[in-house]
Amino acid sequence: MGYSMCWLEYEKLSKKEVERYSEWFESLAMLGDVPKEVVEELKKFARESLGVQLRTFTRFLKKKRYILVGLLNSLPFDLDASEQKPEGFVLKTLKVGNSSVIVLTGKTRASLVYGTYELIKRVRLGEDLESLDVLENPKVRFRMLNHWDNLDGSVERGYAGNSIFFKENEVIVNERTKDYARLLASIGINGVVLNNVNVKKKELHLLEPAYLEKLKKLADVFRRYGIRVFLSVNFASPMHLGGLETADPLDKRVFEWWKKKVEEIYDYIPDFGGFLVKADSEFNPGPHMFGRTHAEGANMLARALAPFEGYVIWRAFVYNCMQDWRDYKTDRAKAAYENFKPLDGQFDENVIVQIKYGPMDFQVREPVSPLFGALERTNQMLELQITQEYTGQQIHLCYLGTLWKEILDFDTFAKGRGSFVKRIVDGTIFGMENGGIAGVSNVGDSENWTGHDLAQANLYTFGRLAWNPDEEIEKVVKEWIVLTFGKKEKVLENVSYMLLKSHRAYEKYTTPFGLGWMVNPGHHYGPNPEGYEYSRWGTYHRANWEAIGVDRTSRGTGFTLQYRSPWREIFDDVNTCPEDLILFFHRLPYTFKLKSGKTLIQAMYDLHFEGVEEVEDFLRKWEELEGLIDQRVHERVRERLRMQLEHAKEWRDVINTYFFRRTGIPDEKGRRIYP
Ligand code: GCW
C-alpha cells in the first residue's frame, strides 16, 4: 500500500479482548438501506482485529449477540430520536427477545458512518459494549479541512510530501483517496477544500469542464463518507475565464457568469459544498478592486450558490501587506476587525466568514482575534493551522491540541460571561447556525501522511475538537495514542507527556511572551530576529537597546479597544495582561519585572534554556520506547527529535545572543551566551 493508516490500523487485539468482543462482530443485521462503507469497515475491523468473519443478514437474528444497523426510519421500534441531528448517531445495546443487540442508527448515511467508527473505536479502547447508550451529535456544523494544494502537486506550507489530490496538473483519484476519506470520516470531518486559497493561473482552470469531470470522481469518493468538497476560487475568474473586462460583483454580467458556472459545477457534483475565497488579501483580487465591499463580493457568489445549498466561505485574513516599517500608525493586528466589523449583518445566510485564530498569522501564541464576539449577525468559522508553518514544520514535535483548546475556551464576553469562541462557532451565542472550524491540512503523500509521525495527533485532535470542542484534551491524546500505538502503559505515559508539553516547549525556545515572528523570511523556518523587521509585512517588534514590543494598548495603536470588557482593560494594563502575551500588547524595557520577580530579559534567557532542556527530555522519553513501538516509526521520530534538538539549540543561541547584544545584560546564571 505504501502508506500507513494512522489511527485506523486495525492491529490484532489481545486474546482476552478477542474473547470479550468477537461474538458481537460475527453477525450484522441490516435493515433497509445500509451504506456499503459501513459494512466494509465493520468487516475489515472484525477480520483484522478480532480474526472473525462478519456475516451479514437482512433480518433480526436469534444469536445471543449481534450488531444491527439501519436508518432510523427503517427500524421497527421506536427510539427516542428527538435530540438527534442529521449527522448524529445512536449506539444502544438493547434486549431483543433473548438477544443482546447493539443498535447503530441515525437519520443519514453519514450518521451511520460516524457511528461505525465510534463503535470500532470503543472496542479498540477497551470499552464496554454490554450497555451502550450513546447519542452523539456533532456540535459544530462545518468541520472543514483546507488544503493548500496546487495543481502541479506542490503544497503551500506543506511539510509531508506532495499533494494527495494533484500531480503534474492532473487530479488524482485512487485507493488512497478513499483511505483519506476514511481517516477524515473517522474523526468527523464533513468538508474538504481541495485547492490552495492562493488561486494562481493554472488553478483557475479547475472550474472548467475538463477538470470538473475529474473533480467529480473525487467528490464521488468523499460523498460516500459524508464529506462535501469545496473549491478555492479566484475572485477575478470572470475576467480570466469568461473574457469579461471586470469582476465587479454588482455588474450583472459578472453575476450571470458565476451563476452559469455554479450551475455547471452542480451538474458534475450535485452536493458541491461551495467556494472558499481569499479576496483582497496578499495580492489576490477582490471586491475592493471595484470599489465594492466584502459583503457585496461574498453575497454575489452566495446568491449563485444558494439554490443548490452551497456556501461561500470568505476569509477575514485581509490586511495591508505593503506597509512601510517606518509607519508606526498602521497596526496589522487591527486589520481583520477594521475590515469586517462594519459589515456585520450584511452577509447572506450562506456566507461564513473564516477568521484566523489570532489577529496576526498562526504564530506560536497570539491573543484570540477580537473579531470573534464582535460579529453578532455573521456566521463565523474559526481557522486553525494544522500544518506547522510557524510551529516547527513537522520537524519539531509541536502538538497543537493544547493551544486550540485554549482558543476554543477563550471567553469573548460577547454576551456576558460564558461567550466562549466554541459557543460562537457552534451557533449557541448568536444563533448563527452556519458556523464552523477549519484547519489548514498537514497532510501530504508521505508514507505516514504528516511527515512527522506524531503530527498525526494534530490531525486527529483537530477533527475531534471540531466535532466536539468541549472534549478534554488529555482524553483525546490518550485515545490517539492507544489507537495508534496500542495499550502499552509506558508508551501511553511517555507519548502523552511529550505531546502535552511540546507546544509550550516550542514557544519557550522560539518566541515567548507573544513576540512571534523572528523567523527566516519566505520559508519561515529557523530563527532570524530581524528577518521581518524592515519589510512590508507589518510584523515588527521594534527592539532597541532598552525596550521591545509594540504598544497595542489604548495609549498606543489602540488594538486593545477592539476587545470587549473586561479583556480590553485586562490586556491594556501591563499589570493584568497575561504574561505569555505581554509583548504582544506592550512595549517593555528589558528590565521590566515579571510577577515571578525576574526581569523580562532574565526570563527570556531562562525560557530559552528550559525549552531546549525539554526537548532533551522528549528525546530521552522517546528513546525509552525503543522496542515498544514499530521500529521504523521509532527511528523516524527519533531522527526528527534529534533534528529538533539541534534546531532548538540554534533558536536558543540566536535569540539569547540577539538580546544580549542589544542590551549588554548578562545571564544571572552565567550560562553560555555568545557575546
Ligand atoms: O501565513 C501566510 C502564509 C501563506 C498563506 C497565507 C494565508 C496561503 O505564509 O503561505 O497563503 O498566510 O493564510 O492566506
Side-chain angles (χ1 to χ4, degrees):
M1 198 158 85
Y3 52 89
S4 73
M5 273 312 287
C6 309
W7 55 88
L8 289 186
E9 284 287 349
Y10 296 147
E11 297 287 336
K12 185 86 201 261
L13 293 177
S14 73
K15 211 170 145 236
K16 241 174 94 188
E17 289 167 314
V18 170
E19 267 166 30
R20 182 171 174 205
Y21 297 113
S22 48
E23 210 182 339
W24 296 110
F25 287 83
E26 281 165 5
S27 330
L28 175 69
M30 305 186 295
L31 298 189
D33 185 19
V34 172
K36 77 173 196 309
E37 291 66 28
V38 165
V39 183
E40 255 176 41
E41 199 71 36
L42 289 171
K43 279 193 169 168
K44 185 173 166 61
F45 169 68
R47 189 175 62 240
E48 294 175 10
S49 284
L50 300 169
V52 299
Q53 284 298 339
L54 178 74
R55 297 201 302 150
T56 54
F57 304 87
T58 49
R59 53 179 162 79
F60 284 89
L61 304 173
K62 292 230 164 63
K63 299 244 334 170
K64 198 162 150 238
R65 293 198 168 91
Y66 65 96
I67 302 171
L68 183 142
V69 183
L71 288 172
L72 205 56
N73 57 16
S74 344
L75 299 189
F77 37 77
D78 199 23
L79 284 178
D80 178 21
S82 50
E83 301 280 301
Q84 207 172 351
K85 296 193 190 149
E87 293 174 301
F89 59 82
V90 163
L91 274 172
K92 215 174 165 77
T93 315
L94 293 180
K95 280 270 167 244
V96 183
N98 289 328
S99 310
S100 189
V101 186
I102 295 176
V103 179
L104 162 56
T105 187
K107 292 181 175 163
T108 58
R109 285 177 51 96
S111 66
L112 298 183
V113 172
Y114 293 138
T116 299
Y117 286 111
E118 179 68 19
L119 175 61
I120 293 173
K121 180 171 93 186
R122 284 179 181 243
V123 176
R124 297 182 69 215
L125 294 175
E127 290 176 19
D128 175 54
L129 301 187
E130 304 293 331
S131 49
L132 285 173
D133 189 8
V134 181
L135 187 162
E136 238 194 86
N137 287 314
K139 291 202 172 143
V140 177
R141 170 92 201 267
F142 288 94
R143 308 178 297 279
M144 310 268 306
L145 283 184
N146 291 183
H147 278 258
W148 287 353
D149 295 22
N150 302 313
L151 258 174
D152 64 4
S154 62
V155 179
E156 183 156 345
R157 312 304 177 190
Y159 312 103
N162 292 316
S163 170
I164 55 169
F165 295 144
F166 309 118
K167 186 179 180 177
E168 292 163 8
N169 305 319
E170 287 297 330
V171 178
I172 308 172
V173 187
N174 57 22
E175 200 51 27
R176 192 165 187 166
T177 319
K178 179 175 160 189
D179 283 333
Y180 189 48
R182 288 176 58 220
L183 283 169
L184 299 191
S186 76
I187 51 174
I189 299 292
N190 65 358
V192 170
V193 183
L194 300 172
N195 63 311
N196 189 355
V197 287
N198 291 321
V199 182
K200 286 165 266 174
K201 271 229 161 74
K202 274 189 191 139
E203 288 77 13
L204 282 163
H205 298 286
L206 282 169
L207 297 182
E208 294 190 319
Y211 277 117
L212 288 175
E213 212 156 284
K214 294 171 187 158
L215 294 174
K216 166 186 166 41
K217 299 202 173 103
L218 258 178
D220 288 344
V221 177
F222 278 117
R223 178 179 310 115
R224 305 204 62 91
Y225 289 89
I227 300 164
R228 288 174 88 177
V229 303
F230 292 69
L231 289 173
S232 296
V233 294
N234 184 308
F235 195 76
S237 297
M239 299 167 74
H240 296 292
L241 297 178
L244 298 183
E245 77 280 6
T246 178
D248 179 349
L250 298 193
D251 187 311
K252 248 187 128 184
R253 291 165 305 160
V254 171
F255 174 69
E256 285 303 321
W257 185 87
W258 279 111
K259 192 165 160 276
K260 269 226 167 99
K261 183 47 74 186
V262 165
E263 285 164 5
E264 193 181 359
I265 297 173
Y266 279 89
D267 279 343
Y268 290 92
I269 309 174
D271 64 338
F272 180 65
F275 297 141
L276 172 62
V277 195
K278 174 174 179 176
D280 294 313
S281 164
E282 297 183 336
F283 312 112
N284 288 272
H288 284 180
M289 287 170 51
F290 310 97
R292 310 297 180 192
T293 69
H294 284 281
E296 287 167 325
N299 292 345
M300 182 271 295
L301 293 175
R303 283 163 202 169
L305 287 157
F308 305 95
E309 282 180 63
Y311 292 82
V312 174
I313 304 171
W314 192 270
R315 293 177 93 224
F317 185 58
V318 179
Y319 68 99
N320 172 15
C321 66
M322 294 295 277
Q323 196 180 325
D324 184 337
W325 63 270
R326 301 168 191 85
D327 164 12
Y328 282 65
K329 291 222 173 61
T330 310
D331 179 5
R332 173 168 161 182
K334 292 168 72 178
Y337 181 103
E338 282 173 345
N339 277 292
F340 285 87
K341 170 72 180 165
L343 302 176
D344 191 20
Q346 295 181 27
F347 291 98
D348 282 7
E349 217 177 292
N350 61 331
V351 175
I352 311 168
V353 173
Q354 179 165 307
I355 308 167
K356 285 192 181 185
Y357 96 77
M360 298 297 277
D361 191 4
F362 298 138
Q363 298 304 292
V364 66
R365 187 174 301 277
E366 297 182 32
V368 168
S369 169
L371 199 48
F372 290 107
L375 299 177
E376 299 183 9
R377 288 168 297 148
T378 304
N379 292 306
Q380 295 167 63
M381 178 121 63
L382 166 67
E383 182 174 329
L384 301 170
Q385 198 182 37
I386 315 172
T387 193
Q388 293 171 238
E389 176 177 4
Y390 294 100
T391 50
Q393 306 199 349
Q394 277 124 273
I395 290 172
H396 298 240
L397 169 64
C398 187
Y399 174 68
L400 295 164
T402 38
L403 171 71
W404 297 338
K405 192 68 190 166
E406 286 181 47
I407 295 163
L408 290 162
D409 288 347
F410 178 76
D411 195 342
T412 64
F413 283 89
K415 263 193 162 181
R417 196 175 288 278
S419 306
F420 306 114
V421 170
K422 61 187 174 189
R423 294 286 89 87
I424 289 169
V425 296
D426 75 7
T428 334
I429 299 293
F430 296 116
M432 302 299 300
E433 279 173 12
N434 293 326
I437 303 184
V440 181
S441 158
N442 63 349
V443 159
D445 69 356
S446 60
E447 186 187 332
N448 59 10
W449 301 82
T450 53
H452 199 308
D453 288 83
L454 301 184
Q456 291 171 6
N458 284 329
L459 181 59
Y460 183 83
T461 303
F462 173 79
R464 297 283 286 103
L465 288 180
W467 177 277
N468 178 10
D470 290 311
E471 205 67 88
E472 265 177 48
I473 214 68
E474 289 76 12
K475 180 177 158 229
V476 176
V477 162
K478 186 173 168 193
E479 253 176 36
W480 177 77
I481 296 170
V482 172
L483 298 177
T484 307
F485 297 123
K487 293 199 188 69
K488 298 186 191 89
E489 207 35 61
K490 188 76 187 160
V491 174
L492 189 55
E493 187 187 313
N494 287 17
V495 178
S496 54
Y497 176 94
M498 293 166 67
L499 293 181
L500 292 171
K501 289 196 136 202
S502 59
H503 173 261
R504 183 74 183 126
Y506 186 84
E507 181 182 17
K508 286 181 184 177
Y509 65 74
T510 59
T511 52
F513 302 113
L515 255 185
W517 306 101
M518 294 200 163
V519 289
N520 283 306
H523 59 70
H524 298 164
Y525 191 79
N528 187 340
E530 302 212 318
Y532 275 110
E533 202 48 30
Y534 305 101
S535 64
R536 55 190 170 72
W537 297 97
T539 54
Y540 319 113
H541 53 71
R542 304 206 173 101
N544 67 11
W545 59 278
E546 64 179 354
I548 183 169
V550 177
D551 182 355
R552 294 198 162 98
T553 68
S554 53
R555 302 162 300 280
T557 71
F559 170 62
T560 50
L561 300 174
Q562 294 184 346
Y563 287 90
R564 309 233 183 196
S565 286
W567 285 115
R568 73 165 59 169
E569 293 80 18
I570 292 173
F571 290 142
D572 214 53
D573 181 349
V574 74
N575 297 307
T576 52
C577 181
E579 283 187 345
D580 56 7
L581 287 169
I582 208 159
L583 291 179
F584 192 95
F585 287 103
H586 297 269
R587 178 167 181 83
L588 297 175
Y590 299 103
T591 50
F592 176 82
K593 276 259 161 57
L594 295 169
K595 301 225 167 52
S596 61
K598 279 184 198 178
T599 59
L600 179 65
I601 183 82
Q602 188 56 40
M604 190 70 92
Y605 294 147
D606 286 352
L607 289 176
H608 281 84
F609 284 106
E610 263 172 54
V612 170
E613 282 160 21
E614 284 173 25
V615 179
E616 284 167 345
D617 196 26
F618 298 157
L619 184 55
R620 263 196 308 276
K621 288 256 188 296
W622 186 255
E623 279 173 341
E624 286 171 14
L625 304 181
E626 197 171 350
L628 299 176
I629 277 178
D630 177 86
Q631 197 188 337
R632 278 170 41 89
V633 174
H634 191 267
E635 275 168 18
R636 265 198 313 244
V637 172
R638 182 169 53 194
E639 194 49 42
R640 298 218 173 199
L641 286 167
R642 284 181 180 154
M643 276 161 78
Q644 181 176 5
L645 181 55
E646 277 321 295
H647 299 173
K649 286 179 184 163
E650 178 75 2
W651 267 103
R652 175 195 66 193
D653 293 339
V654 170
I655 302 293
N656 281 349
T657 290
Y658 178 74
F659 283 111
F660 179 64
R661 289 184 184 169
R662 285 255 127 163
T663 63
I665 302 174
D667 171 35
E668 278 169 7
K669 297 176 186 151
R671 290 162 295 195
R672 181 95 201 241
I673 292 178
Y674 297 80

